[in-house]
Amino acid sequence: MNSIVLIGAGNLATQLAKRFIEVGVSIAQIYSRTEESAQALAKIVGASWTTNTVDIVVADAYIIALSDKAFSDVLPYISFNDSLIMHTAGSVPIDLLANYSDNYGVLYPLQTFSKLRDVDFSDIPICIEANRDDNLVAIEKLANKLSHDVRIISSEQRKFLHLAAIFCCNFVNHMYDICDDITTQNGVQFDILRPLIQETAAKIEQMSPRKAQTGPAVRFDTNVIDAHLKELSSDSDIQELYSLLSKSINRFQNK
Amino acid sequence: MNSIVLIGAGNLATQLAKRFIEVGVSIAQIYSRTEESAQALAKIVGASWTTNTVDIVVADAYIIALSDKAFSDVLPYISFNDSLIMHTAGSVPIDLLANYSDNYGVLYPLQTFSKLRDVDFSDIPICIEANRDDNLVAIEKLANKLSHDVRIISSEQRKFLHLAAIFCCNFVNHMYDICDDITTQNGVQFDILRPLIQETAAKIEQMSPRKAQTGPAVRFDTNVIDAHLKELSSDSDIQELYSLLSKSINRFQNK
């Protein structure tokens, strides 16, 4: 794969492009609908850039790092000339790419990305899939440069992985956000919870989440649970969340 | 404080006792209602042990590391002779100890503990409180030996900290447990999510949870959300959780 074009310049595209440079894979061009994003990322990786699909250059491979919704707005206007195209999305089935090229696949890094926060890419599981064995080999070769953890994952499995990622990333982060509100509203700095947050995440490196579980919901201690529900009475949504989550923990413990 | 008796031999008591030994504070005796627990912990820290409240020895200080429910089952049967007594619970107000001694306070390490998993105690925030200034000084001196992060926290604040801990520990861990089910049911190993879990926790060391939030709920992307709700149709409780959490994330983003 001598020339790669990156379609997209968002959080994932930015971190992916940086990693490509790190491992010696050059990017020929960056496409983004937003001039500012295209230009900024092109500068970082030393590539040309465009906001116009007709100006996208011919390349060996195209990596599509667009939001799910943008696929149909952008892809029909690009001439891929049956080059290998890969998307990087959790919830988009591989077959959707059949409309745009005869050679296609998926390269999905299972991680949360922000433009301004660099991550250690070498540990990130890369889920790959392709429409043909030769394309899978090519994608695997590329993925192996990015990370030591490359796994062949079907579209169906990837769909559920993306769902799981919502729980262990977005929903977990929302728990942190709720805590930020609770501590701030009571004159305590949120940072007091950081060691607990880190230990909760670290604990499951050693034991299953079910075994790691502690707290009042495990034994359904109604004294503590009722007291907490009362403390949450000013926010009925959070109160309902507390109640549902406590019941759910107890149900899982008895599975 | 030359002699300390530890009332309790559970997860917290075990880790606390180990830390005391580490920093050169000796434990005179371990009390537990369970012989096996009392004996096991006494062996680790080189103390005597008893399961009988009348055999509890006279000491300078008593540290109560019992479950909230056990307080009233155990404490009325111990003669504290107005020695300094401290409890270690998140949700028990300090005043409850007034029934048992004239000198009392709180030493609450804000962390999740398991008997078999050792933690770095030096980073754990220790929330302290006392009924009098001289007792606060004594408790602070002791707490400073355990950790470099000792904070004076009122019973009211501690109550809310304990509530927050449920969210960022028990509820977060339940998210991990739900993911364990989702991955296993779809033939993928749960360990594929570990880098995402660690990064989600690490991210908020650098930015606020609200800023760190990503995913479909932020922009309330109904295409993705509806697809996920459909994928969860076999478990209506988890489906309801997904729906509530997505709405809640979106509400927080617009706060």
Side-chain angles (χ1 to χ4, degrees), chain A residues 8 33 54 74 103 107 216 246:
Chain A
R33 289 176 295 178
V54 298
V74 173
N103 298 290
L107 184 145
S246 296

Side-chain angles (χ1 to χ4, degrees), chain A residues 6-16 30-32 37 41 65-66 113-115:
Chain A
L6 194 52
I7 312 291
N11 295 334
L12 166 57
T14 300
Q15 294 301 333
L16 193 59
I30 306 285
Y31 163 85
S32 167
S37 304
L41 184 52
L66 297 168
F113 296 101
S114 296
K115 281 188 188 179

Side-chain angles (χ1 to χ4, degrees), chain A residues 11 15 112-119 173 176-177 180 190-191 194 197-198, chain B residues 199-214 253:
Chain A
N11 295 334
Q15 294 301 333
T112 171
F113 296 101
S114 296
K115 281 188 188 179
L116 295 176
R117 183 176 158 83
D118 292 343
V119 287
N173 185 70
Y176 303 156
D177 202 355
D180 199 352
F190 173 63
D191 79 321
R194 291 190 201 276
I197 285 170
Q198 299 309 326
Chain B
E199 170 64 10
T200 302
K203 213 171 174 180
I204 56 143
E205 298 279 323
Q206 196 183 318
M207 56 183 101
S208 75
R210 194 140 320 152
K211 276 195 182 159
Q213 193 58 281
T214 57
Q253 288 292 318

Side-chain angles (χ1 to χ4, degrees), chain B residues 43-54:
Chain B
K43 200 176 162 190
I44 292 172
V45 299
S48 71
W49 61 273
T50 181
T51 57
N52 197 337
T53 50
V54 299

Side-chain angles (χ1 to χ4, degrees), chain A residues 3-51:
Chain A
S3 58
I4 293 177
V5 166
L6 194 52
I7 312 291
N11 295 334
L12 166 57
T14 300
Q15 294 301 333
L16 193 59
K18 282 184 177 178
R19 179 62 176 165
F20 275 130
I21 299 310
E22 218 171 60
V23 299
V25 176
S26 65
I27 305 288
Q29 191 183 39
I30 306 285
Y31 163 85
S32 167
R33 289 176 295 178
T34 316
E35 187 172 321
E36 200 188 329
S37 304
Q39 208 169 357
L41 184 52
K43 202 178 162 188
I44 292 172
V45 299
S48 69
W49 61 272
T50 181
T51 56

